[in-house]
Amino acid sequence: MWRDLIAHYVSPGDQVLDAGCGSGVFSFEAAARGASVQAIDGSAEMIAIARRRQDELGDASVEFRVGLIEELRTWPAASFDVVMASSVVEYLPDLASEIASFSRLLRPGGHLIVSVPNAASLYRRAERALYRLIGWPRYYAHVRSIATPSVFRSIMAGAGLETLDLRFYADPPIPLTAARMMGGSAARKTLFVAVGRKAG
């Protein structure tokens, strides 16, 4: 799904930011479309993995660096045609301000592609209830932001972004038969990815 979105929204010559790039999988996808990519991650280990892969590919169109998302607030505005953020915003304390920060970096007409934990998912609701009761699953200690699709559309609009696309993905880690009993994608899938376009 991410590969399809990158193919649709990234064009040759685009300036792309991969915020929270991890091992660089999506950075390399964007570079394969002819984009120049700046990629940051807070983990030096992940950046080392990405650079090793870069050496194997001989791809000089991606610049990897260790850096925190908060540092992006000091970067020049309107620097990028596309900003990508996969599995990042859930660990940031203020979803609205982070989306506004990403939007600030976009040129008019640019695109933000971002994944968000789906608060409308029945499984996510059960996870949050369990964490409040017994402290499990433990990774919820690090989750700061989660949103329903409708709330996230409002956050995007507040940041000057028109929501062009919204897709649900990732079934919960339970038997598929049980997952299907939860209903359609909006109630079942644990994540969604949204694409916003900067006004102008």
Side-chain angles (χ1 to χ4, degrees):
M1 184 188 62
W2 270 87
R3 184 177 292 114
D4 178 57
L5 289 170
I6 291 169
H8 187 77
Y9 291 105
V10 175
S11 300
D14 277 354
Q15 298 293 318
V16 174
L17 170 66
D18 190 357
C21 63
S23 62
V25 173
F26 298 144
S27 302
F28 294 125
E29 285 288 338
R33 298 286 301 163
S36 295
V37 184
Q38 293 191 52
I40 69 165
D41 198 277
S43 167
E45 291 81 4
M46 285 290 102
I47 293 297
I49 291 170
R51 286 173 175 161
R52 286 197 294 271
R53 180 60 176 155
Q54 184 175 36
D55 289 341
E56 293 170 4
L57 295 172
D59 187 345
S61 58
V62 184
E63 179 187 347
F64 290 106
R65 69 173 78 172
V66 178
L68 300 176
I69 298 297
E70 291 83 353
E71 296 172 18
L72 298 176
R73 296 177 186 276
T74 67
W75 288 27
S79 298
F80 296 98
D81 301 291
V82 178
V83 173
M84 307 186 297
S86 172
S87 298
V88 171
V89 298
E90 54 261 51
Y91 304 113
L92 303 175
D94 187 337
L95 189 55
S97 67
E98 299 304 338
I99 297 304
S101 178
F102 290 148
S103 179
R104 187 188 70 84
L105 293 172
L106 286 170
R107 294 169 178 151
H111 295 96
L112 172 65
I113 309 173
V114 58
S115 69
V116 184
N118 179 19
S121 161
L122 296 178
Y123 184 83
R124 289 281 190 190
R125 293 180 188 179
E127 274 189 325
R128 295 201 306 279
L130 271 175
Y131 182 74
R132 285 192 294 268
L133 286 171
I134 62 172
W136 185 91
R138 292 179 184 173
Y139 80 90
Y140 254 82
H142 307 288
V143 173
R144 298 289 181 266
S145 296
I146 183 170
T148 64
S150 60
V151 166
F152 194 70
R153 286 178 186 272
S154 296
I155 288 172
M156 294 270 270
L161 298 165
E162 175 191 4
T163 302
L164 301 181
D165 200 347
L166 194 147
R167 305 184 193 186
F168 298 95
Y169 69 107
D171 278 314
I174 59 177
L176 186 57
T177 303
R180 285 175 175 164
M181 292 174 65
M182 293 179 175
S185 293
R188 184 176 79 251
K189 304 287 188 178
T190 62
L191 292 162
F192 62 85
V193 60
V195 180
R197 179 173 58 200
K198 181 77 172 283

